[in-house]
Amino acid sequence: MGEIAGAGLLAHVPTIVLPEAVRRELNDGQEISLVPGLERLREDVFERADYDTVVVLDSHWATTVEFVVAAQQRRAGLFTSEELPRGMRRMPYDYPGDPELAHSVVRFAGKHGTWITPVDDPCLPVHYATINLWHHLGRGLPDKRWVSVGVCQTGDTEDHLRLGRALADGIAALPGRRVLLIASGALSHTFWPLRELRAHEASDPVHIRTPEARAADLRRIGWLERGEHAQVLDTMPEFLRHRPEARFGHYLMMLGALGEHACTAPGRAYSAYENSVGTGQMHLWFDRPSGGWTAPRHAAKESTV
């Protein structure tokens, strides 16, 4: 039986792949905490843990009529961001995929009442929500497989939880597998307008777009650090007013795989809470509980989907 060996809510902002000198220039001469945080996380987890595959729940990959999971044998090439080509251009990437896991997840779509398609097209784009984190956590570890799953822009909270349930079942169906999950994305996610933006590039949370969004982020960080995932889930309608990235679909997919309301894994902070041109960013890691993740309290229902 496969298992989830650990999971994290991690920031992928473009700043983390800029040269240190540029990062310091943007941040009043100081290093941002996100980069050394990823270095510590790599040392503590990605270079030491027993795992074979990393699944990135990618908040930048927005699908429309279904969830899509990358099913290529290998992803390799040069990445240039259409969003910020000045800072992310011709970045090399090369990592094995995991089509067996992709297809295993898809087999549980009907059980959980959702639509999931595996796609092995070599021309399928990759996104920097995956590439930037692979750059820090996967580069130089050639035996580790990486798989991306997109959020669905027509999906709501329940839809993303259903994807997570199917993901957990797909992992469990593969004997001996150990998988790490990355919910790649931000907390609140509203940028400053262009003419004001350059006055708000420093990492100090005072630059978060609104005081209300900052307060909402900090409440959720406190809950996550204490393992109170049920509080985050129960207050999603309130949090959506602060426009979390991808409607927080990356986190919801992760939580659906970890047990939803039953998940009480406390988060270890691997960065400070930081601003990125108005948006709330932080690295939090959730270790696998000694007894394993607790299944959701509701039973899955068979569906004709």
Side-chain angles (χ1 to χ4, degrees), residues 218-229 231-232 235:
L218 290 172
R219 279 195 297 275
R220 279 148 189 86
I221 290 167
W223 292 333
L224 292 171
E225 290 184 321
R226 294 189 297 271
E228 298 173 8
H229 297 268
Q231 286 273 43
V232 179
T235 60

Side-chain angles (χ1 to χ4, degrees), residues 28 55 66 129 131 135 184 236 280 288:
D28 301 326
V55 175
E66 63 202 340
I131 295 301
H135 175 87
S184 178
M236 275 303 301
R288 180 182 181 274

Side-chain angles (χ1 to χ4, degrees), residues 69-73 75 97-99 102-103 118-121 124 147-148:
V69 54
Q72 295 87 350
Q73 288 284 353
R75 308 302 305 271
D98 195 339
H103 286 272
V119 175
D120 61 3
D121 185 337
L124 184 72
V147 172
S148 298

Side-chain angles (χ1 to χ4, degrees), residues 131-158:
I131 295 301
N132 286 5
L133 292 176
W134 174 85
H135 175 87
H136 284 281
L137 302 174
R139 188 176 54 162
L141 302 174
D143 59 326
K144 304 303 184 183
R145 297 178 285 240
W146 281 59
V147 172
S148 298
V149 180
V151 298
C152 186
Q153 63 181 328
T154 56
D156 60 11
T157 293
E158 174 64 18

Side-chain angles (χ1 to χ4, degrees), residues 24-290:
R24 288 180 178 273
E25 181 182 353
L26 295 173
N27 195 39
D28 301 326
Q30 303 298 312
E31 172 66 290
I32 64 174
S33 72
L34 296 175
V35 171
L38 288 172
E39 292 170 352
R40 291 194 304 273
L41 182 59
R42 178 180 173 118
E43 181 179 348
D44 291 352
V45 175
F46 285 76
E47 291 182 347
R48 297 184 181 182
D50 176 17
Y51 68 98
D52 49 74
T53 298
V54 178
V55 175
V56 181
L57 306 165
D58 189 316
S59 61
H60 271 226
W61 181 8
T63 62
T64 303
V65 300
E66 63 202 340
F67 289 99
V68 178
V69 54
Q72 295 87 350
Q73 288 284 353
R74 188 164 211 93
R75 308 302 305 271
L78 296 173
F79 174 78
T80 294
S81 167
E82 80 284 5
E83 178 185 340
L84 204 140
R86 176 170 54 86
M88 292 178 287
R89 65 177 184 271
R90 299 184 67 79
M91 295 170 56
Y93 62 93
D94 187 352
Y95 54 85
D98 195 339
E100 182 184 33
L101 177 57
H103 286 272
S104 183
V105 172
V106 169
R107 286 196 291 272
F108 292 92
K111 174 183 176 181
H112 294 290
T114 192
W115 295 265
I116 313 171
T117 300
V119 175
D120 61 3
D121 185 337
C123 296
L124 184 72
V126 294
H127 300 270
Y128 74 75
T130 293
I131 295 301
N132 286 5
L133 292 176
W134 174 85
H135 175 87
H136 284 281
L137 302 174
R139 188 176 54 162
L141 302 174
D143 59 326
K144 304 303 184 183
R145 297 178 285 240
W146 281 59
V147 172
S148 298
V149 180
V151 298
C152 186
Q153 63 181 328
T154 56
D156 60 11
T157 293
E158 174 64 18
D159 288 308
H160 287 90
L161 292 172
R162 291 184 184 196
L163 182 284
R165 297 166 198 159
L167 175 60
D169 281 349
I171 293 168
L174 299 178
R177 288 301 200 92
R178 289 177 61 82
V179 176
L180 300 179
L181 305 183
I182 295 177
S184 178
L187 293 141
S188 64
H189 197 256
T190 302
F191 298 113
W192 286 93
L194 179 60
R195 293 195 301 278
E196 302 175 54
L197 185 148
R198 282 161 178 77
H200 299 283
E201 292 186 302
S203 65
D204 191 319
V206 71
H207 297 287
I208 298 295
R209 187 64 180 87
T210 67
E212 294 78 12
R214 178 181 178 182
D217 285 348
L218 290 172
R219 279 195 297 275
R220 279 148 189 86
I221 290 167
W223 292 333
L224 292 171
E225 290 184 321
R226 294 189 297 271
E228 298 173 8
H229 297 268
Q231 286 273 43
V232 179
L233 190 52
D234 288 342
T235 60
M236 275 303 301
E238 171 196 325
F239 195 35
L240 288 172
R241 294 199 292 270
H242 303 287
R243 300 180 64 185
E245 186 164 21
R247 301 181 71 190
F248 224 28
H250 49 296
Y251 168 80
L252 293 167
M253 292 190 287
M254 179 185 76
L255 188 61
L258 301 184
E260 302 169 41
H261 284 87
C263 181
T264 57
R268 286 191 285 149
Y270 272 90
S271 75
Y273 170 61
E274 293 192 350
N275 164 71
S276 180
V277 293
T279 69
Q281 309 288 336
M282 191 170 182
H283 301 317
L284 289 163
W285 189 259
F286 308 97
D287 293 309
R288 180 182 181 274
S290 57

